[in-house]
């Protein structure tokens, strides 16, 4: 069963009903730790229904085999906050029956592959905040404060400050590295737009300076993508998009 397009919850909410999605991308497992706690692993994925795209944080590494590209899977008992999903040990993830497919509208697929740049984020309407942002960016500099670390990221349209705390505090990185941001919140702080970390945020270094790599932003303007979709979901017209191998390198 594929869940219909629902209004994204404003607060993290347990979703008991199953949702069927197709896997677009999934990272390798990433190791992390909180101070004083043992190391843990997580991986990140992007999935889609016929009318929405979700970013997924998977805390149960045993589910990695289910998140193969192009797999159609059914998920239940997951946490949802806006268009971010968290899969934990209590969640249920199963591969859908053979032959089941998902028709992804062309506009959703294009918007997921061609997201806005930092310059676009700097022009965001304050009434739309907070906006959730994820992607790969080039690190310009960083500064460690007592409780937060300020990272400055850049692309070919501008720069932006990223304020990391808790698990996103003091990440070992240097100027010229490529960093992955997951579920950061675009907010206006002291009359300036910045990205800030929250409960579901995650950050890692994916390429160290000196290795040939151009960062490829995979930021998703998810709510806007659905709201401004030129397709009428009631028209019965679907565009089946072939999922090719997607690389962030």
């Amino acid at each position: 069963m594929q869940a219909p397009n629902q209004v994204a919850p404003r607060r993290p909410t347990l979703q008991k009903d199953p949702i069927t999605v197709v896997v677009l991308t999934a990272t390798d497992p990433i190791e992390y730790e909180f101070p004083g706690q043992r190391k843990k692993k997580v991986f990140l994925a992007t999935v889609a229904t016929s009318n929405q795209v979700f970013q997924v944080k998977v805390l149960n590494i045993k589910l990695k085999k289910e998140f193969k590209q192009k797999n159609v899977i059914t998920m239940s008992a997951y946490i949802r906050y806006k268009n971010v999903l968290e899969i934990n040990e209590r969640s249920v993830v199963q591969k859908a029956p053979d032959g089941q497919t998902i028709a992804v509208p062309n506009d959703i697929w294009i918007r997921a592959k061609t997201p806005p740049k930092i310059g676009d984020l700097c022009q965001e309407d304050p009434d739309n905040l907070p906006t959730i942002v994820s992607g790969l960016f080039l690190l310009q500099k960083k500064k460690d404060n007592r409780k937060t670390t300020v990272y400055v990221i850049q692309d070919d349209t501008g720069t932006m400050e990223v304020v990391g705390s808790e698990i996103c505090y003091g990440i070992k990185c240097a100027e010229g590295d490529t960093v992955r941001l997951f579920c950061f919140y675009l907010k206006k702080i002291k009359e300036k737009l910045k990205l800030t970390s929250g409960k579901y945020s995650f950050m890692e270094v994916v390429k160290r300076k000196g290795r040939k790599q151009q960062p490829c932003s995979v930021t998703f303007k998810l709510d806007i993508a659905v709201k401004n979709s030129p397709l009428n979901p009631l028209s019965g017209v679907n565009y089946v998009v072939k999922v090719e191998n997607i690389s962030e390198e």
Side-chain angles (χ1 to χ4, degrees):
M1 174 182 178
Q2 182 170 317
N5 188 11
Q6 300 174 342
V7 176
R10 293 181 175 274
R11 296 181 178 181
T13 305
L14 175 64
Q15 304 290 311
K16 297 181 180 180
D17 294 334
I19 182 174
T20 300
V21 298
V22 60
V23 179
L24 302 183
T25 64
T27 70
D28 291 329
I30 306 162
E31 194 172 74
Y32 70 99
E33 64 179 319
F34 284 104
Q37 298 184 17
R38 63 183 179 84
K39 293 182 178 180
K40 299 180 180 179
K41 289 185 177 181
V42 64
F43 68 89
L44 311 174
T46 303
V47 302
T49 67
S50 63
N51 50 28
Q52 290 179 289
V53 179
F54 298 97
Q55 298 172 70
V56 188
K57 182 178 181 181
V58 185
L59 302 176
N60 185 353
I61 299 300
K62 295 179 181 179
L63 296 174
K64 185 67 175 71
K65 63 181 180 179
E66 308 295 344
F67 282 83
K68 290 181 179 179
Q69 191 179 75
K70 303 183 185 180
N71 270 7
V72 177
I73 58 177
T74 298
M75 307 182 298
S76 59
Y78 56 89
I79 303 296
R80 179 179 176 184
Y81 175 61
K82 293 193 173 182
N83 281 20
V84 173
L85 312 180
E86 181 178 277
I87 303 294
N88 53 42
E89 297 291 340
R90 296 182 179 180
S91 304
V92 178
V93 178
Q94 297 176 325
K95 190 172 181 180
D98 291 341
Q100 184 169 354
T101 61
I102 291 180
V104 180
N106 192 45
D107 73 306
I108 297 292
W109 179 246
I110 291 175
R111 288 173 185 269
K113 290 184 65 178
T114 55
K117 297 288 188 174
I118 290 177
D120 296 313
L121 296 177
C122 291
Q123 301 300 319
E124 183 69 31
D125 185 343
D127 292 337
N128 291 336
L129 302 181
T131 296
I132 294 177
V133 175
S134 298
L136 299 181
F137 299 93
L138 191 68
L139 181 70
Q140 187 182 87
K141 61 181 179 180
K142 79 163 191 173
K143 179 182 178 182
D144 289 327
N145 299 315
R146 192 166 71 89
K147 293 184 178 181
T148 63
T149 298
V150 177
Y151 309 89
V152 179
I153 57 173
Q154 69 177 68
D155 62 16
D156 57 357
T157 65
T159 63
M160 179 168 283
E161 289 187 0
V162 179
V163 182
S165 59
E166 296 185 353
I167 194 174
C168 299
Y169 171 79
I171 301 295
K172 294 181 180 179
C173 53
E175 177 184 349
D177 289 349
T178 300
V179 295
R180 185 197 310 277
L181 305 182
F182 177 83
C183 190
F184 276 71
Y185 304 88
L186 182 64
K187 296 181 178 180
K188 197 168 188 178
I189 302 176
K190 295 182 179 180
E191 301 304 313
K192 185 176 181 181
L193 287 173
K194 299 181 181 182
L195 292 173
T196 64
S197 63
K199 180 179 179 181
Y200 298 98
S201 303
F202 193 84
M203 179 177 178
E204 68 158 340
V205 179
V206 295
K207 289 289 183 181
R208 300 287 180 181
K209 182 180 179 181
R211 298 175 64 180
K212 294 182 180 180
Q213 163 75 9
Q214 292 297 322
C216 174
S217 172
V218 290
T219 312
F220 292 105
K221 297 290 290 181
L222 299 174
D223 295 330
I224 294 177
V226 174
K227 181 174 64 178
N228 294 339
S229 171
L231 298 181
N232 180 353
L234 300 179
S235 66
V237 179
N238 280 323
Y239 292 83
V240 179
V241 179
K242 182 180 179 182
V243 181
E244 303 288 354
N245 289 333
I246 303 171
S247 174
E248 294 172 343
E249 298 185 1

